[in-house]
Amino acid sequence: MNNKGDTKMRMLIVEDDPIAQKVMFKYLSPHGDCDIAVDGEEAIRAFRLAQTDQRPYDLILMDIMMPKVNGREALLQIREMEKNLGVMGSSEVKVIMTTALADPKTVVDSYYRSGATSYLVKPVEREKLLDELRNLKLIS
Amino acid sequence: MAQVTEPVHVLVVDDEASVCKMLSIRLEFAGYRCRTAPDAETALRLLSEEKADLIITDINMPGMDGIELTRKVKSAFDSDVMVMTGQIEAYAYEEIMAAGASDFIQKPVSTKELILRLGRVLRERELLRQQRESLAVMRAAKDQAESANRAKSEFLANMSHELRTPMNGVMGMLHLTLDTPLSEEQREYLSLAMSSAEILLRHIDDILDFSRIEAGKLGIESVTMTLSAVMGSAIQPFVLQAGSKGLTLRYQVDPNVPNVLFGDPDRLRQVLMNLFGNAVKFTETGRVEGAVKVVEKDSESVLLHFQVLDTGIGVEQQHAEAIFNPFTQADGSLTRRYGGMGLGLSICKRLVEMMNGRIWVESTPGKGSCFQFTARFGVLPPQLSASDKKAYTDEFKEEEARRPERDLNVLLVDDNNISRQVGRDILLKHGYRVTTVENGTAGIEFFKRERFDLVLMDLEMPDMDGYEAARIIRHHAASSGLQTSIIALTAHVFEDVLEKCREAGMEGHIAKPYSVAKLNKEINRIMGPRVSCSEQASPLNDLDSPKVSGVIIDLEKAIEKTPDEVSGEETLLPETLRDVLNQALCLLDQLRLSIGAASSGQAAAQLSGLKGLAGKLRADVLVDEIFRLQLMVRKKEWARCVSQVLTVEAGFERFETRTAGKEATP
């Protein structure tokens, strides 16, 4: 699923909790280049810059409950940008929503309506996370 | 007679004064407070002044009759009405009652009968009042309960987040530490901590699930699921534990059970895991076996029967029902031996009920238990919704019509201090890069030094006027092969002025006062749509940049004001600009040190300061560059940071040349 041949897989972790950032970064770094955004606003900016650089992200891990712009809102905007850029189908960025909200309504709402690819409930365990990456054919 | 604590107010309406008088004397004597009215209109007026509990009205009166009065009273007042009818009256009693009367009485009125009937009407009235009152009390209680429940649900949703976030940290850190080189002893301790954390997390999940069921917040999904996958993943977590106890753990699905179902795989798994988990927990030797079979099936749904059989300690018959109640375990002594919160089975019971099934247990103490439940699933494969792709393409076409703002380098030549400042701020705010100078000579100087896409030229200036300056700039541009547009700024839009402008090589003009919209329109007219000279503007950029507003900036008016009044918080004075730049350069120096020392905490703080400063300058491209640097710092890519700091510094320095430019006078 790498985009421009030689480059490593690019991932963006969107997470306001510093410990969770660190854990996710450690889990994912062996599998590619990982950026960290601390809120939805940064996520949108990072996504846009990656597009401008012609090095789009392959995967975004998006927390739902965050300050400024929440994960769902950020995802909606990212999907909107993709639409504007004509990015569609399998070249759309894969987005895994991560949430400590065990409320399925919130999760399902984000999962289906805002175009998330899947979701994980926190605490995110490494094997579950990597399974999800394998499901999405991002790693083998 | 009615038991009256407060006096009952009665209004007697009759066109015969003698009847009024007679009735009011009798009623007052019987303890009622009585008023009289000679006709319906007067009665209505009296009622609007002071309420009455009961109206006794004649039927046949001049003007409005008693039936009409009854209707009016019932529609507007909370009073009962009794109608007095003459024996020869042609009114049907049905009509009287239909109008809303509580009772009627024949004339000549027997006072005794009237008072008896009146008492009955008042009793009914009192009953109705009590009923309304208790309804209102109940409704208020219901509202209160509902809002308390909402608050509880809200609280629980937050609780989940608050409990899981630190658990995420605990388990993640344990996991990472377990990946580092450790002594055997350390590894054992951390593994124990890890399994404790896992148990704690299961308990948290149980409590949250249980509370959400109670709050009516837990829903059942309906998605495609594969039964074999659910069964497999429900058993998987217990394979190790069962193996270490020497238990046989297996399951069997009848061949006629459809594998693809429509239901909630997570909730089904949860129930099965609970049952398998309990079975393994309470069984010391023997086996744990699962089985699935069909109970009934039609074209749309299937009712499945699940069972989990074990050869464990079993449950006493008297506890067989109670174990499905919350906070209950089969035996107090078991609580100590086997632990657990006693929530699991009660959650299973609710979940199974939500899946239109039931759960029960058959057990022989000492021999084993067989937990069973039924659940209904859809058998139709889900109808996949039509592909979104077409919608995507359509919307994309629409979006394409939106035009990105240009990135133009603009030279603004104007002798008036305030016009210049206002113009500069407007242009900056809308994403243009601007250099301002106060006369034609300086304009020419700057034009020779830097490449500009556009010159905005005031016409009326001392020393060298705009025409002359434009002519020289045009000449210079032509000889250097530069594509530059010149637009005249003028308050006088006469044909001869415009003609002179064209002669001097100015392609367009904008009448003062000008709006940003007007400016953009003229730029588009001259330069063609979507031409950007300096950098390629990404269509995404306009997500962040402010939109062009139609606000008219009245320069002439602005000139009459002091600079402070003009700027407000929307503009940036040169003093502020210099201040911002100084702070930025200072932070950049510190940042270099932090990067050199690989101190990500300090670098992060300095970067967020720089980001704020760039935001003040409304330099979105610069904010982007700073953000890139933030991303690098977070990844600790120190080598790349060094060169990115230079890019950011250059971004701030570009503003510095502009301040310098602004101050420049020939």
Side-chain angles (χ1 to χ4, degrees):
Chain A
M1 280 318 262
N2 282 357
N3 272 282
K4 304 290 168 202
D6 57 336
T7 52
K8 282 198 287 183
M9 168 159 76
R10 285 200 85 194
M11 292 170 280
L12 177 65
I13 296 162
V14 191
E15 172 63 65
D16 59 325
D17 176 36
I19 297 180
Q21 282 169 15
K22 199 165 275 181
V23 173
M24 294 287 228
F25 185 78
K26 289 282 183 183
Y27 285 175
L28 291 172
S29 286
H31 303 278
D33 180 19
C34 252
D35 283 331
I36 297 168
V38 301
D39 56 41
E41 200 178 283
E42 285 202 1
I44 295 164
R45 191 181 286 273
F47 174 85
R48 173 167 59 75
L49 289 178
Q51 288 288 344
T52 314
D53 296 348
Q54 308 265 303
R55 287 184 60 227
Y57 290 106
D58 302 280
L59 173 71
I60 299 178
L61 279 129
M62 180 90 79
D63 188 20
I64 294 183
M65 199 192 251
M66 287 184 299
K68 290 191 196 169
V69 178
N70 70 34
R72 185 166 46 185
E73 185 54 36
L75 176 57
L76 283 171
Q77 290 201 33
I78 284 170
R79 291 295 184 217
E80 184 71 22
M81 280 192 262
E82 284 184 329
K83 232 188 274 179
N84 295 345
L85 289 167
V87 177
M88 54 183 85
S90 63
S91 42
E92 281 177 359
V93 60
K94 307 277 187 297
V95 179
I96 301 177
M97 305 301 280
T98 58
T99 179
L101 293 168
D103 177 3
K105 196 180 157 354
T106 313
V107 174
V108 168
D109 230 24
S110 319
Y111 181 30
Y112 293 103
R113 306 246 172 83
S114 10
T117 320
S118 67
Y119 69 93
L120 289 170
V121 177
K122 287 182 191 172
V124 174
E125 284 164 57
R126 173 159 52 189
E127 273 319 302
K128 270 193 197 157
L129 175 63
L130 296 184
D131 276 350
E132 204 54 55
L133 261 62
R134 278 186 276 271
N135 280 346
L136 299 175
K137 310 239 179 326
L138 290 168
I139 58 174
S140 50
Chain B
M1 207 215 292
Q3 292 204 332
V4 275
T5 43
E6 275 184 39
V8 175
H9 290 254
V10 180
L11 176 61
V12 177
V13 192
D14 201 309
D15 55 334
E16 282 180 58
S18 60
V19 174
C20 285
K21 176 134 199 193
M22 186 269 287
L23 284 178
S24 81
I25 289 170
R26 296 288 169 88
L27 288 169
E28 292 272 357
F29 185 71
Y32 296 99
R33 186 75 45 88
C34 202
R35 285 180 293 168
T36 62
D39 54 55
E41 285 79 7
T42 313
L44 288 171
R45 185 170 51 73
L46 287 174
L47 270 183
S48 62
E49 284 164 7
E50 192 191 345
K51 73 172 191 68
D53 300 294
L54 189 94
I55 292 138
I56 302 171
T57 178
D58 189 18
I59 197 161
N60 208 356
M61 294 180 291
M64 192 188 297
D65 67 12
I67 292 184
E68 186 57 27
L69 174 63
T70 304
R71 280 196 201 99
K72 288 235 155 74
V73 167
K74 294 310 284 184
S75 71
F77 302 97
D78 173 35
S79 306
D80 278 273
V81 182
M82 283 180 74
V83 178
M84 298 180 286
T85 61
Q87 280 170 316
I88 49 158
E89 231 99 58
Y91 295 102
Y93 298 131
E94 286 89 343
E95 206 182 337
I96 293 169
M97 300 307 279
S102 302
D103 203 353
F104 54 87
I105 187 165
Q106 272 195 357
K107 274 183 168 179
V109 174
S110 138
T111 319
K112 200 177 165 196
E113 188 190 344
L114 175 68
I115 288 182
L116 284 173
R117 282 182 180 251
L118 210 144
R120 186 187 56 75
V121 168
L122 289 171
R123 261 199 317 277
E124 277 174 15
R125 182 178 173 77
E126 175 63 14
L127 279 174
L128 279 170
R129 192 192 60 76
Q130 284 174 359
Q131 203 179 4
R132 270 202 302 270
E133 211 168 74
S134 47
L135 261 176
V137 169
M138 283 192 290
R139 207 165 281 144
K142 182 168 166 274
D143 286 351
Q144 204 182 356
E146 277 172 354
S147 84
N149 196 31
R150 269 195 300 278
K152 184 176 152 196
S153 306
E154 196 70 25
F155 169 76
L156 287 168
N158 292 338
M159 210 38 146
S160 168
H161 191 260
E162 299 317 312
L163 294 175
R164 278 165 190 270
T165 303
M167 280 308 287
N168 194 40
V170 169
M171 296 179 73
M173 285 305 164
L174 283 172
H175 222 119
L176 290 174
T177 314
L178 278 166
D179 274 359
T180 59
L182 294 171
S183 74
E184 268 315 300
E185 195 182 14
Q186 287 169 328
R187 185 168 305 282
E188 188 196 338
Y189 294 164
L190 285 175
S191 303
L192 287 173
M194 189 71 182
S195 55
S196 298
E198 278 163 4
I199 291 167
L200 177 55
L201 179 64
R202 272 206 299 281
H203 291 175
I204 290 174
D205 281 343
D206 276 357
I207 293 174
L208 293 173
D209 272 351
F210 179 74
S211 315
R212 288 213 319 279
I213 290 171
E214 289 293 284
K217 273 195 100 187
L218 192 122
I220 290 282
E221 275 185 61
S222 209
V223 298
T224 335
M225 53 180 255
T226 327
L227 185 62
S228 53
V230 175
M231 290 297 291
S233 62
I235 280 192
Q236 185 55 39
F238 309 106
V239 170
L240 262 182
Q241 198 189 344
S244 68
K245 280 178 152 183
L247 302 175
T248 310
L249 175 62
R250 62 183 175 207
Y251 74 93
Q252 186 192 331
V253 179
D254 266 13
N256 65 336
V257 174
N259 193 30
V260 177
L261 296 167
F262 207 45
D264 192 328
D266 293 333
R267 295 307 172 187
L268 175 61
R269 185 181 301 111
Q270 192 177 350
V271 174
L272 286 166
M273 278 176 71
N274 232 297
L275 298 184
F276 278 115
N278 278 343
V280 171
K281 175 166 130 189
F282 292 111
T283 305
E284 299 303 333
T285 55
R287 59 200 161 92
V288 171
E289 284 178 0
V292 190
K293 62 179 192 240
V294 173
V295 179
E296 56 181 49
K297 190 179 171 186
D298 59 32
S299 61
E300 285 180 355
S301 73
V302 61
L303 185 68
L304 295 181
H305 174 271
F306 296 80
Q307 76 170 40
V308 176
L309 184 135
D310 67 56
T311 55
I313 56 162
V315 185
E316 298 279 355
Q317 198 52 46
Q318 75 252 37
H319 297 307
E321 296 242 338
I323 53 171
F324 294 105
N325 295 335
F327 320 115
T328 310
Q329 283 209 320
D331 194 85
S333 66
L334 285 185
T335 313
R336 270 175 211 95
R337 187 165 160 206
Y338 289 100
M341 293 191 302
L343 276 181
L345 287 176
S346 75
I347 292 171
C348 288
K349 182 168 185 266
R350 305 295 185 101
L351 291 177
V352 164
E353 282 164 3
M354 287 167 95
M355 292 189 272
N356 300 308
R358 62 189 197 91
I359 188 167
W360 69 98
V361 62
E362 286 163 13
S363 181
T364 314
K367 293 251 168 108
S369 308
C370 182
F371 281 84
Q372 300 162 70
F373 68 95
T374 55
R376 191 170 286 280
F377 300 91
V379 288
L380 277 182
Q383 296 300 306
L384 291 175
S385 61
S387 164
D388 287 342
K389 279 186 183 158
K390 195 185 169 300
Y392 267 12
T393 349
D394 290 353
E395 280 178 48
F396 173 61
K397 277 179 198 146
E398 227 169 79
E399 283 297 316
E400 209 183 16
R402 266 173 41 184
R403 183 164 299 152
E405 280 186 66
R406 305 151 183 277
D407 178 43
L408 294 181
N409 198 8
V410 180
L411 178 64
L412 173 62
V413 190
D414 198 319
D415 64 319
N416 185 287
N417 193 22
I418 295 171
S419 301
R420 209 166 56 231
Q421 193 179 311
V422 172
R424 185 185 64 98
D425 287 344
I426 298 292
L427 288 163
L428 273 182
K429 196 176 153 194
H430 289 86
Y432 298 99
R433 286 174 285 138
V434 199
T435 305
T436 56
V437 289
E438 63 178 52
N439 58 47
T441 320
I444 295 162
E445 255 340 278
F446 267 84
F447 192 82
K448 284 180 181 166
R449 291 219 305 255
E450 196 177 334
R451 187 181 157 174
F452 291 97
D453 304 292
L454 175 69
V455 180
L456 294 176
M457 183 70 78
D458 185 27
L459 292 182
E460 298 86 11
M461 289 184 295
D463 298 336
M464 184 190 292
D465 67 18
Y467 304 105
E468 181 64 19
R471 216 169 278 127
I472 297 170
I473 285 173
R474 174 60 59 218
H475 177 78
H476 180 79
S479 60
S480 324
L482 292 176
Q483 293 284 318
T484 302
S485 301
I486 309 174
I487 293 177
L489 300 175
T490 173
H492 316 288
V493 197
F494 300 118
E495 193 45 47
D496 61 326
V497 172
L498 299 185
E499 183 56 39
K500 260 177 89 179
C501 287
R502 275 192 291 274
E503 261 177 32
M506 293 186 261
E507 293 114 314
H509 74 277
I510 298 168
K512 287 180 179 176
Y514 58 88
S515 65
V516 180
K518 228 191 223 180
L519 178 65
N520 275 329
K521 203 174 146 198
E522 189 69 359
I523 291 172
N524 283 339
R525 188 183 70 77
I526 295 165
M527 305 178 86
R530 254 180 202 265
V531 181
S532 57
C533 302
S534 310
E535 284 174 48
Q536 202 183 356
S538 155
L540 291 173
N541 277 336
D542 67 346
L543 274 168
D544 292 41
S545 39
K547 300 279 178 284
V548 177
S549 66
V551 182
I552 300 234
I553 306 304
D554 191 331
L555 285 178
E556 311 307 318
K557 252 190 204 156
I559 287 164
E560 291 161 17
K561 297 186 183 168
T562 68
D564 278 343
E565 282 173 325
V566 180
S567 54
E569 32 174 75
E570 289 286 281
T571 59
L572 209 55
L573 296 173
E575 291 72 33
T576 328
L577 178 59
R578 250 195 313 277
D579 200 35
V580 166
L581 288 174
N582 285 338
Q583 287 179 44
L585 294 178
C586 181
L587 275 172
L588 277 162
D589 281 343
Q590 295 170 11
L591 180 62
R592 275 206 184 80
L593 293 175
S594 307
I595 288 173
S599 161
S600 41
Q602 282 180 21
Q606 286 142 2
L607 278 165
S608 87
L610 284 169
K611 210 176 182 182
L613 294 174
K616 269 192 197 162
L617 297 173
R618 294 187 201 87
D620 209 55
V621 178
L622 187 50
V623 174
D624 279 352
E625 294 305 330
I626 295 167
F627 180 62
R628 283 181 202 275
L629 190 49
Q630 280 181 313
L631 291 179
M632 291 171 197
V633 167
R634 287 174 196 163
K635 288 195 276 189
K636 301 189 169 47
E637 290 183 337
W638 303 117
R640 282 177 67 201
C641 285
V642 175
S643 69
Q644 185 64 17
V645 170
L646 290 175
T647 311
V648 171
E649 190 166 36
F652 277 109
E653 274 166 356
R654 247 163 63 186
F655 280 90
E656 195 161 48
T657 39
R658 260 175 253 172
T659 11
K662 187 169 163 45
E663 296 308 301
T665 35

